[in-house]
Structure formats: structure tokens, C-alpha cells
Amino acid sequence: MRNYFRYLAYIWHYKVRVITSIVTSLLAEVLSLASMAAYLAAHDVLLSLWFSNGQDAGSMAKQILKLPKGKEVIEYLRTRATDKTTLMWTVIALGFAFFLTGILRGVFVFLRRYLLESAAQRGWMDLLNHLFLRVSGLSVRFFSHRSLGHTMSTFGPDLGELGAGGRMIFSHAVRDTFSLLLGVIAMFLVSARLALMVIVGVPVALLVFKIVGTRIRRYTAKGLEKRADAMKILAETVQGITVIKAYDAEGYQRDRFLQTSRRMLRYDLRRALTKAMSDPSTEILLRACLWAVGAYGVYLYVQFNYPWSMLVTFSYAVKKVYEPLDGLRDLNNEIQASRAAADRVFAVMDLEPEVVEKPDARPLPPHSSEIRFDHVSFAYEPPEEVVRDFDLTIRAGEVVAIVGENGSGKSTLVSLLLRFYDPTRGAIRVDGSDLRDVTQSSLRRQIGYVSQNVLLFNDTVRRNIAFGNPRYTDEEIEAAARVALAHEFIMHDLSAGYGTMVGEGGAKLSGGQRQRLSLARALLRDPRILILDEATSAMDAEAEHRFEGQLAGFAKGRTVILIAHRFSALRAADRIVVLDRGRIEAVGTHEQVLAASPIYRNLYHKQSLAREAT
């Protein structure tokens, strides 16, 4: 329940709207009961006076006389029952007044509903925004361990269930609660005996609500879990559609999705069945109470001349009690469903980033001296270390290439330098500043990163190059594209030039074109540190050759870390670092590491043989 109250706190942030709606809701329900009681009582007195020629105001008059100004009311009604015309105009006037109270109540109902639902919608939007901020601020490990489908499910079905419950709760809770309480008060004011006969059914209804609510919460939690599994399969299908089609695996994916959706349907149907079985409960209790009230009320009317208007008012009060019970039953069901959703949402909200910025972290000054990997070790899943005692100093302005077999830890070193993760042991320092002591934004603003897995957004070429900073001019964007060898294909091959939409993930572009746009994006920032992680792996031979020819040019004045499998890309490197299962095997020029490193020698010979074969 704690997480559910945390959600309500987001709505309570708009307390002025909530409190105003509560007040208007109370006024609406008081006005409803009071106007109905006054309308029926006035007719009772008028008819009694008419049939008794003004001599007897009826038994209802005894109740009215107990009220302040009750005697004046009776005397006024006596003057209105003198002839048919006056009586009829009085009845019409009473009806018109009753109609006006209905309009006033309608205004109160409008304010109650709009203010409550607007507060609920705003609170839900705040939660959505906070959840996005929390997720976007989590460390890379979260995204590598949690599937995209499960994350999307948190923003989709989980938040949707929570929002739907919140809107219903704040549109019905106040109204139905006030209606129920005022109905109970009215019943006891009219007749305590009749009220006791009716009120005995309420605990029975509450017991049913509790049993049903527990089952609904359990089925909702399981249903949301299966929805997340279905979203996971959907995300995998969208992301890997080319592989799925290439391996003729559409049927396999369909079967996986259908099996998951059937499990989801099973729990949804169980929830629907439980809710449907609970629906008749309040109707049965209401009819039983009305039967008892009707029988006992007739007895009171016949034996003791009990006012018929009092019985009608009491029956209306019974209706005002049991109608809200229907609403509160549905409300309880929604609360239980929302509790299950709230537990899932706040489980993500409570996650803490693995990489945390210190409160006193300072901005990193512009890089000018060196990057120092000081005996760095790192494990994704301890104790299996991916990087072991990596000790290396990279001087400012130096081009350093890192090579090694797949899985040797090359990309992990890049992730550590970008501070996606913190070292298990050791430290990384830029110009003497430990990365754990500086702000992450000041570090990453100095780094241009070109990944082997290029990510482009479904936007224009221009906005993809300028991603993260819309203040770049067209001239700056074009200059970066020229250096990255992208300007030519942008202008000649793309229909709208820099205004061309690249499609989801850059689907409208080739792999080499995507890499060149990614390189242009990195160079546009004019970074002090440039990381090229297999930056030419998807380029054709001509583009790669041109890129290698310009590498020394755009690396000038920058510290460049180059990760590559192709030895042709290492020509511009000042030093080559050879990794073997996370450890440095050799460091030096091409000739030095060729002589000292069996791994480097093996990789070099493999590529030489491949080139000769072609």
C-alpha cells in the first residue's frame, strides 16, 4: 500500500484543486439530499392542509416544527393551500425551485469532477516525467540487464493501469464517500429503527469487497508481468526483424508472442470473472433492504400514520447509501489493480544509479595533459574480470590504438573512460583528476564518441549530426560533415540533403553512411578526446581509405583512442596497445608490437592472408 500512497502524493501536490473539489462534492451531496427532503416535505404539508381545509398540516409538520423557523414555514404553506389556483402555482414554484437546485448541484458536480480529474492527470504526468528522468539517469548496467520490452512496459501498461485507477479514484472516491455518509445520517434522522435494518448489510458488502480486491490485485500483478513479457517479444521482433526474416523465424516469434498473450489473457479473464461475480452483491443487498424497509414502512404507515414523505425520503436515503456502495466496490477493485501497478512502477523508481556523482564533484578543466589508467580492473559480474590491472598513460594529442581478440576488453575500456561504469579496482584520471571526483557532464562534453553500433534517431540528417545541441549553425554542421566525408553523399544521394529523414535507427542509410554521420556528430563537438570504436567497420574500401588519409588531420590537437580490427586503420597511431583477456600484452609501434606480441602477430598474419586471397 505504501507505493500506492506514494502515487497519491503526486496528485496531492495539487492540493488546492483536490480540496476545492472535496468542498464542492460535499455541497453537491448536501444540496441533493436537502432539496429532495424539502421538496417532499412541502408537498406532504400542502396536501394535508388541502384535504383538511387548512385544519391539519399532517404528521410531517411535527418534524418541520422542530427546525428553526419551522412554525413560519408551516404558516406560509397554510396560506398557499386556500384554493386550487394558489395551490397549483405553489406546486409549480416548488418544482421550479427544485429544478434550480438541480442546476446549482450540476455546477458543483462539474467543479468536483473537473478539478479532481485534472489533479489526477497532472499528478500522473508528473510521475511519468519523474520516471523518465529516473530511468534516463540510471547507469548503463540497468539497460544491459533489463530488456527494452520490460522497460517500455513500465511506461505503457504499468503506468496506464496506475493512471486509469487514479482517475477513477479521484472522480468517485469523494462523491461516493460523501453520498454514503450523508445517506446514513439521513436514514438515522428519519428513523433509527429503519436505519439499523438497512445498515446491517454494509459490513457484508465490505467483506465481499475485501475478498474480491485481494484476488484482483493478484491477477493484475500477474497480468502486468505477462504484458511485460509480450512487450519484450515485440521489442525484440521490431529490433531484429531482418534477422527474423532472414532465418524464416516469423512463425517462431508468432508462437512465442501468442503463448505469452494467452497467459496474459488468462489472468485478465480471471480478473474480469472476479469483478463480474462481485457486481450483483450490492444489488442483492439493496433489494433485501428495500424489501425490509417497504414491509416495515407500510406497517408504520398503517398502524401509526407515519408520514409517507418520510418513507419516500428514507427510501431515497437508502438509494444514496447503496448506489455509492456500487461505486466504492468498483473503486476498491481499481485501487487493488493500481496497487499492483504502483509496486511495479516504484520498483523502477527506487533503483539507484550504479555510477553516482559526488555532491562536491567539480567540473573537469579542458583536457591538456594526459589520460591515466592507473592499474584498472573491472568485472561486469564479479569475480569474472574483463579488464585486469590495466596500466597505461596516454599523452594529450597522442593517437593510441587498442587491438586484441574479440572479448579482450577493448570496448570496456572505452565505457570506463566515458564513466558508464566505475573500475572495480584502480582509477582513471584525466589531467590528474579522478573521474569519480568530476561531474559527468563536464567529462562527456570533452569526449567525441563514435561507436561501432551506430544509433541514429528518426529525424533529419541535420538534427542527427547536431544531436544534443540545437544551437549549432548550418555552416558548422556542414563543416563537420565534410571532415567526416559525409557531405558528398548527403548532397548527392539524399533527396532533401540535410533535411532528409533518416528513418528509424537510420534505416534509410547504409552502414557506412550511418558511421560517417556518427563521426560528423562527434567532430561537431570539437572534442578534446576522440574515441573511434571500429568507426570504419561498415565503410566501403574507398571511403575507409579516404577516412584513414584524413585521420591525422582531424586528430590534430586531440587525444585519439582508436579501436580497430583492420590494421590499415592503425597507420596514424603513435602507439599500439595489444590486449589479451583484459591485460596489456604489449605497447609500442607497429614494428615493436609485431615482434613482441604473439596475439598481434597472429592477427596481422590473418589479415595479410585475407588480403592476398582477395
Side-chain angles (χ1 to χ4, degrees):
M1 200 69 176
R2 172 178 170 269
N3 287 329
Y4 180 70
F5 285 126
R6 289 172 67 184
Y7 167 58
L8 296 186
Y10 279 88
I11 300 174
W12 183 246
H13 180 72
Y14 301 94
K15 60 178 71 68
V16 173
R17 290 172 180 262
V18 174
I19 292 172
T20 304
S21 65
I22 290 173
V23 172
T24 56
S25 183
L26 178 60
L27 291 174
E29 297 308 319
V30 169
L31 186 61
S32 177
L33 273 170
S35 61
M36 177 62 74
Y39 183 70
L40 292 172
H43 280 75
D44 191 310
V45 173
L46 282 171
L47 291 176
S48 296
L49 290 170
W50 173 258
F51 287 115
S52 66
N53 294 320
Q55 299 302 311
D56 183 12
S59 55
M60 189 64 207
K62 297 177 182 178
Q63 305 297 327
I64 297 175
L65 288 170
K66 296 177 182 178
L67 302 174
K69 300 290 184 180
K71 183 176 181 181
E72 288 83 348
V73 171
I74 296 297
E75 291 305 316
Y76 173 76
L77 292 176
R78 194 185 303 276
T79 63
R80 311 307 296 174
T82 55
D83 58 81
K84 289 183 179 180
T85 302
T86 303
L87 177 65
M88 289 308 301
W89 279 110
T90 302
V91 170
I92 292 172
L94 287 172
F96 183 67
F98 188 66
F99 174 74
L100 289 179
T101 60
I103 294 177
L104 181 58
R105 182 179 183 276
V107 173
F108 290 149
V109 168
F110 164 76
L111 290 173
R112 172 191 69 200
R113 181 159 190 169
Y114 174 73
L115 292 173
L116 276 175
E117 291 203 14
S118 65
Q121 291 279 15
R122 289 169 183 267
W124 182 87
M125 185 60 65
D126 288 345
L127 176 58
L128 172 66
N129 292 336
H130 287 173
L131 181 63
F132 180 81
L133 291 175
R134 170 64 72 177
V135 169
S136 62
L138 291 174
S139 302
V140 174
R141 190 186 297 272
F142 168 82
F143 299 97
S144 62
H145 282 65
R146 184 181 174 93
S147 72
L148 173 63
H150 283 163
T151 302
M152 295 302 295
S153 180
T154 303
F155 285 89
D158 297 352
L159 264 181
E161 187 79 53
L162 192 56
R167 288 190 293 273
M168 181 175 182
I169 289 160
F170 279 88
S171 61
H172 290 275
V174 175
R175 180 196 67 187
D176 292 337
T177 302
F178 279 149
S179 180
L180 176 65
L181 292 176
L182 290 172
V184 170
I185 292 171
M187 286 193 304
F188 276 96
L189 288 176
V190 173
S191 172
R193 289 183 180 181
L194 288 174
L196 290 173
M197 294 175 63
V198 173
I199 208 71
V200 71
V202 174
V204 178
L206 295 178
L207 178 62
V208 173
F209 294 173
K210 183 179 185 303
I211 296 171
V212 170
T214 301
R215 292 178 177 271
I216 285 177
R217 185 170 73 253
R218 183 168 67 249
Y219 294 146
T220 300
K222 291 183 178 295
L224 288 174
E225 182 181 338
K226 297 307 174 187
R227 275 185 171 83
D229 291 340
M231 292 284 285
K232 173 186 174 183
I233 297 172
L234 175 62
E236 290 173 348
T237 302
V238 172
Q239 290 178 307
I241 190 63
T242 54
V243 175
I244 291 169
K245 288 187 175 293
Y247 282 84
D248 192 29
E250 293 99 324
Y252 172 73
Q253 285 296 95
R254 290 185 192 123
D255 289 343
R256 288 182 65 204
F257 189 85
L258 289 175
Q259 289 175 11
T260 304
S261 64
R262 289 191 193 102
R263 295 189 190 102
M264 178 178 69
L265 177 63
R266 184 186 309 154
Y267 290 115
D268 287 348
L269 289 178
R270 287 179 182 177
R271 182 172 76 165
L273 177 64
T274 304
K275 291 173 70 174
M277 291 176 65
S278 70
D279 284 351
S281 59
T282 49
E283 176 70 19
I284 293 171
L285 286 171
L286 172 62
R287 289 181 178 271
C289 291
L290 288 176
W291 169 75
V293 168
Y296 189 59
V298 169
Y299 169 76
L300 291 176
Y301 181 78
V302 172
Q303 294 294 326
F304 304 102
N305 196 27
Y306 198 76
W308 67 269
S309 62
M310 294 275 282
L311 291 176
V312 174
T313 300
F314 187 86
S315 298
Y316 181 70
V318 172
K319 181 172 177 289
K320 297 293 284 183
V321 169
Y322 276 89
E323 270 190 354
L325 275 180
D326 264 338
L328 291 174
R329 178 202 61 221
D330 294 337
L331 180 64
N332 177 65
N333 294 341
E334 289 298 332
I335 287 175
Q336 299 308 320
S338 295
R339 283 180 63 186
D343 289 341
R344 292 176 58 85
V345 170
F346 283 100
V348 177
M349 284 283 285
D350 289 339
L351 292 174
E352 293 293 336
E354 178 186 353
V355 176
V356 180
E357 192 168 278
K358 293 181 178 178
D360 58 347
R362 63 184 184 279
L364 177 68
H367 168 54
S368 61
S369 178
E370 65 179 22
I371 299 172
R372 170 80 170 128
F373 290 86
D374 187 3
H375 297 281
V376 170
S377 296
F378 175 75
Y380 290 105
E381 298 292 343
E384 298 295 329
E385 290 185 333
V386 180
V387 175
R388 299 176 178 86
D389 195 31
F390 185 86
D391 192 69
L392 180 71
T393 299
I394 302 173
R395 297 181 296 275
E398 188 177 16
V399 178
V400 173
I402 302 176
V403 299
E405 299 281 2
N406 289 333
S408 60
K410 303 184 297 297
S411 295
T412 300
L413 288 171
V414 171
S415 296
L416 291 171
L417 180 56
L418 284 160
R419 211 188 168 207
F420 294 159
Y421 304 92
D422 281 334
T424 308
R425 292 195 306 273
I428 303 175
R429 297 182 178 88
V430 175
D431 300 341
S433 297
D434 192 320
L435 299 189
R436 289 167 291 201
D437 296 330
V438 301
T439 61
Q440 296 179 41
S441 60
S442 67
L443 167 67
R444 292 168 185 165
R445 277 198 299 267
Q446 297 193 48
I447 298 177
Y449 176 46
V450 183
S451 169
Q452 57 183 321
N453 299 316
V454 176
L455 175 62
L456 297 180
F457 300 88
N458 191 14
D459 208 332
T460 63
V461 170
R462 177 181 294 104
R463 289 178 180 169
N464 269 283
I465 294 176
F467 179 73
N469 190 344
R471 293 190 296 273
Y472 290 118
T473 65
D474 290 345
E475 291 74 17
E476 290 172 321
I477 293 170
E478 183 177 324
R482 287 182 183 276
V483 175
L485 307 177
H487 178 74
E488 184 177 348
F489 87 78
I490 291 172
M491 298 306 297
H492 294 163
D493 299 343
L494 303 184
S495 58
Y498 284 87
T500 303
M501 298 292 291
V502 302
E504 194 72 35
K508 296 180 181 179
L509 305 178
S510 70
Q513 289 172 335
R514 290 197 293 269
Q515 281 194 324
R516 280 178 272 179
L517 289 188
S518 180
L519 179 60
R521 177 195 293 165
L523 294 176
L524 181 60
R525 305 181 70 177
D526 191 22
R528 297 297 183 99
I529 302 168
L530 181 61
I531 301 173
L532 303 176
D533 187 356
E534 296 290 351
T536 64
S537 59
M539 293 184 188
D540 57 42
E542 180 184 354
E544 185 179 18
H545 181 72
R546 292 171 59 196
F547 169 80
E548 291 164 1
Q550 292 198 12
L551 179 59
F554 63 70
K556 187 176 181 180
R558 298 186 176 96
T559 303
V560 179
I561 298 176
L562 178 65
I563 296 175
H565 283 101
R566 299 181 186 179
F567 282 77
S568 57
L570 306 181
R571 295 170 185 166
D574 298 310
R575 283 189 298 162
I576 299 172
V577 179
V578 183
L579 282 183
D580 177 21
R581 289 175 292 183
R583 294 182 183 274
I584 295 178
E585 185 185 57
V587 180
T589 63
H590 168 69
E591 291 75 12
Q592 289 171 336
V593 295
L594 187 63
S597 169
I599 289 178
Y600 188 83
R601 198 159 48 244
N602 182 49
L603 291 172
Y604 181 75
H605 288 318
K606 284 181 180 178
Q607 289 201 20
S608 298
L609 290 172
R611 284 196 300 270
E612 291 173 5
T614 58

